[in-house]
Amino acid sequence: MPNRDGKGTHIEHKYVGYYYRLGVKRITRIALRLLYLVLGCLAAACLLFGAARMAHCNTLPVMVILQAVTLLLLIWFVWVLLYYIFAPENMTSYKYKSTALQMLKVCKWLSVVFFLDAASVLADILINKNTAQEQIICLAAYIAGGMVAVILRTVERALPYERLSNDKEITWYREKNGWR
């Protein structure tokens, strides 16, 4: 197709794939995004609260590594959450995969590492027979973080997504010019 000034050509790109839409009302979609934001902040608070305690478990090298992995997954979660919050109502296949499906993945792995953190603290408590209050607080914080991630994943899995066909009439540039 020619440019506006009549010189050269202008390639017109049209999306021909499916659109995905969350099958809830607009107010519910906004509430879900706020819920995800609040629960994400709560998960981050659980990690910070557990990792900042002056407990014996936080001095173990394995625990430090697990906390670093948890922090990296929280950063991934924030990245996906930003995509999710700013996603349009009708999402292309790429947007759907980079928001809803990525949210499921990141929440799964986030819950796994939170529960590994909790298991590491529990192992330290059982091996060293150290039931100090700080250890118990760390254990509770990591279990709470894992539960938050499980809740997020459960909510996202329960959401109905509609797959809509692209009903726009598509004219390919090649077909228009007789190219095969």
Side-chain angles (χ1 to χ4, degrees):
M1 139 179 247
N3 285 335
R4 291 183 184 151
D5 60 1
K7 299 177 186 172
T9 58
H10 173 76
I11 298 174
E12 192 173 307
H13 296 278
K14 293 190 178 187
Y15 180 70
V16 295
Y18 289 106
Y19 284 104
Y20 294 87
R21 181 187 309 156
L22 188 57
V24 295
K25 294 182 180 179
R26 186 172 189 271
I27 190 74
T28 307
R29 196 172 68 246
I30 292 170
L32 279 169
R33 291 174 182 185
L34 287 174
L35 175 72
Y36 283 15
L37 185 63
V38 168
L39 288 177
C41 289
L42 184 61
C46 288
L47 174 66
L48 292 175
F49 188 73
R53 310 304 296 178
M54 295 300 257
H56 180 264
C57 62
N58 286 336
T59 62
L60 301 173
V62 106
M63 195 65 199
V64 173
I65 292 169
L66 281 172
Q67 290 168 349
V69 170
T70 309
L71 180 63
L72 289 174
L73 284 170
L74 276 171
I75 292 170
W76 181 26
F77 173 79
V78 168
W79 185 263
V80 171
L81 183 64
L82 289 175
Y83 262 84
Y84 191 85
I85 288 174
F86 295 113
E89 182 178 359
N90 291 333
M91 296 183 282
T92 62
S93 180
Y94 174 77
K95 278 286 188 186
Y96 172 69
K97 289 176 184 175
S98 63
T99 57
L101 298 182
Q102 285 293 317
M103 185 65 73
L104 290 173
K105 281 183 191 176
V106 72
C107 288
K108 176 179 70 175
W109 288 110
L110 195 58
S111 64
V112 166
V113 293
F114 263 121
F115 289 135
L116 282 175
D117 287 337
S120 192
V121 173
L122 186 61
D124 184 48
I125 289 172
L126 295 175
I127 290 171
N128 295 322
K129 296 181 180 34
N130 183 2
T131 57
Q133 183 179 1
E134 294 297 316
Q135 296 276 88
I136 304 299
I137 290 172
C138 287
L139 179 64
Y142 294 132
I143 289 173
M147 290 307 296
V148 166
V150 167
I151 290 168
L152 278 166
R153 189 168 194 277
T154 304
V155 168
E156 184 62 32
R157 282 188 71 165
L159 292 176
Y161 280 92
E162 302 169 343
R163 189 169 99 166
L164 309 169
S165 65
N166 190 352
D167 292 335
K168 297 178 183 175
E169 188 175 328
I170 306 300
T171 305
W172 289 93
Y173 186 73
R174 289 180 178 190
E175 292 174 358
K176 190 169 143 182
N177 289 322
W179 298 347
R180 297 277 172 202

